[in-house]
Amino acid sequence: MEITVNGDAVTLDGPLTIARLLVEQKVKMPDMVSVEHNGKILDRAEFETQQVQSGDTVEFLYFMGGGA
Amino acid sequence: MNLTDEQLERYSRHIILEQVGATGQEKLLSGKVLIIGAGGLGAPAGLYLAAAGVGTIGVIDSDSVELSNLQRQVIHHTPDVGTPKVESAAAKMRAINPDVTVRTYFDRAGPDNLVSLMSEYDFVIDGTDNFSSKYLINDAAWFARKFFSHAGILRFSGQLITVHPGQSACYRCLFPDPPEPGAVPSCSQAGVLGVLGGVIGTLQATEAIKYLLGEGELLTDALLTYDASSMEFRKVTVRRNPRCRLCGPSPTITSLEQQDQAVCDLSGSCKC
């Protein structure tokens, strides 16, 4: 299936969960990521259950605490 | 307000702009911006806002200048090491532009002072360096109903978003769950390219100026991310989260004191 991850077209075997997608996309620090799935921000607890389907759009938003 | 001859000359490159003009410059001169944190983000923001003639600039920071700050905090100079950052920053802003009134607060922004402080200003710039402060500023801006620019920088990346409380997505809408303490590296652990503060802090100042002018479209409901490695900017469209604990229809955070401070301890272990 083809989905869009952070603006890029990605082809994956699917469907799969958000948690699995984080692994497949080699996100190094999943604890540092907030996930927007088809425009909706997910709770962390949903990562294991939320399914990603063909055509979906996923954005990984990263925690960035620096500034000084 | 009538601009003096000196002001007409100083701000001539603004005044010639169709979107600014003498009227816009007068708006900037009557504008009030609060900068929280005189560090990597606050430094360039403060310099540009002063140069632009923003009439009142407040700066709050409880730290003093350290040698390791100078790689990126361009408002502080080598002889300033050991001086409170607010004093160092104020001196540079006054030197750039005597039109500007700088108010300094040698203090930590906390639940006890933030809402009342914000209420004295038109726009707030979050230039802090830890999650606890970033959530606190987001929440205080909600209770004060104050526009603010949130930003973060780390390694070769930076990002920012402008929040119109009650109207656009807030920081908690995007990041509902604060990271576990220690899960997220700080700049002091992970490093940050010095110029990142310049890029992102200057964009925050741009938002403040646009807000005061009432010109252009603010960066609301969009997180702008910047990767210095690939030189890519991306604007990620976001929207208010109906489950937001702060600004959603069924809020569980109804006062600043309730804010969970467990995000990062306040001793500074998560600071950059």
Side-chain angles (χ1 to χ4, degrees):
Chain A
M1 66 171 190
E2 192 156 293
I3 61 170
T4 305
V5 179
N6 284 22
D8 295 326
V10 175
T11 305
L12 292 164
D13 293 332
L16 75 181
T17 62
I18 292 289
R20 187 69 213 157
L21 181 66
L22 284 161
V23 175
E24 300 245 339
Q25 288 293 294
K26 299 187 172 60
V27 173
K28 283 179 194 153
M29 294 185 174
D31 290 345
M32 280 181 64
V33 178
S34 191
V35 177
E36 188 191 57
H37 179 223
N38 293 337
K40 180 185 168 212
I41 297 286
L42 302 178
D43 285 340
R44 193 161 293 278
E46 295 173 294
F47 287 10
E48 294 287 346
T49 52
Q50 183 64 52
Q51 292 282 324
V52 182
Q53 312 281 349
S54 184
D56 284 2
T57 299
V58 179
E59 293 281 350
F60 298 138
L61 308 179
Y62 290 84
F63 271 112
M64 236 173 262
Chain B
M1 186 191 294
N2 282 321
L3 297 172
T4 64
D5 287 348
E6 194 181 312
Q7 288 176 322
L8 288 170
E9 185 176 346
R10 177 184 284 270
Y11 305 117
S12 58
R13 304 303 192 274
H14 269 167
I15 292 166
I16 205 168
L17 288 169
E18 190 188 334
Q19 301 93 327
V20 184
T23 312
Q25 190 60 51
E26 286 166 2
K27 286 182 189 169
L28 295 181
L29 286 163
S30 1
K32 298 187 175 97
V33 176
L34 176 65
I35 301 173
I36 305 177
L41 295 165
L47 292 173
Y48 273 108
L49 291 177
V54 171
T56 304
I57 302 174
V59 191
I60 177 165
D61 199 308
S62 61
D63 288 339
S64 294
V65 179
E66 295 176 22
L67 191 58
S68 63
N69 299 151
L70 303 183
Q71 161 255 20
R72 63 202 178 283
Q73 300 179 13
V74 292
I75 206 165
H76 310 301
H77 301 172
T78 305
D80 299 319
V81 171
T83 307
K85 285 186 177 178
V86 290
E87 294 307 324
S88 165
K92 309 313 185 307
M93 290 191 275
R94 289 175 183 133
I96 287 173
N97 191 348
D99 282 348
V100 178
T101 300
V102 183
R103 297 182 191 156
T104 59
Y105 311 90
F106 186 37
D107 198 358
R108 174 173 264 281
D112 51 330
N113 60 12
L114 208 44
V115 174
S116 63
L117 191 57
M118 283 183 179
S119 67
E120 296 172 31
Y121 291 86
D122 302 314
F123 190 93
V124 176
I125 288 180
D126 173 1
T128 61
D129 57 7
N130 61 85
F131 289 108
S132 152
S133 294
K134 288 184 191 299
Y135 279 99
L136 179 69
I137 289 166
N138 182 71
D139 296 356
W142 161 258
F143 292 114
R145 294 296 192 276
K146 202 61 71 175
F147 277 77
F148 77 102
S149 169
H150 159 89
I153 50 174
L154 192 69
R155 299 194 180 100
F156 275 62
S157 301
Q159 61 190 21
L160 73 159
I161 185 170
T162 300
V163 177
H164 179 182
Q167 298 295 319
S168 75
C170 82
Y171 186 53
R172 279 191 193 274
C173 288
L174 272 58
F175 297 99
D177 307 309
E180 294 293 319
V184 178
S186 70
C187 292
S188 58
Q189 292 163 343
V192 61
L193 200 66
V195 290
L196 255 303
V199 174
I200 304 296
T202 304
L203 290 173
Q204 291 187 282
T206 310
E207 287 290 277
I209 288 168
K210 280 161 55 190
Y211 176 78
L212 295 175
L213 291 174
E215 272 298 324
E217 289 175 29
L218 293 172
L219 185 65
T220 48
D221 287 329
L223 183 73
L224 183 65
T225 65
Y226 171 59
D227 180 345
S229 296
S230 57
M231 270 298 175
E232 277 184 310
F233 279 96
R234 275 196 77 227
K235 206 166 160 181
V236 182
T237 302
V238 294
R239 61 185 188 217
R240 289 183 74 187
N241 186 341
R243 293 179 295 186
C244 181
R245 294 169 58 207
L246 181 71
C247 75
S250 310
T252 56
I253 301 168
T254 52
S255 77
L256 260 198
E257 288 69 26
Q258 273 182 290
Q259 204 221 31
D260 52 279
Q261 294 289 331
V263 186
C264 277
D265 65 54
L266 289 171
S267 67
S269 66
C270 285
K271 291 179 65 165
C272 287

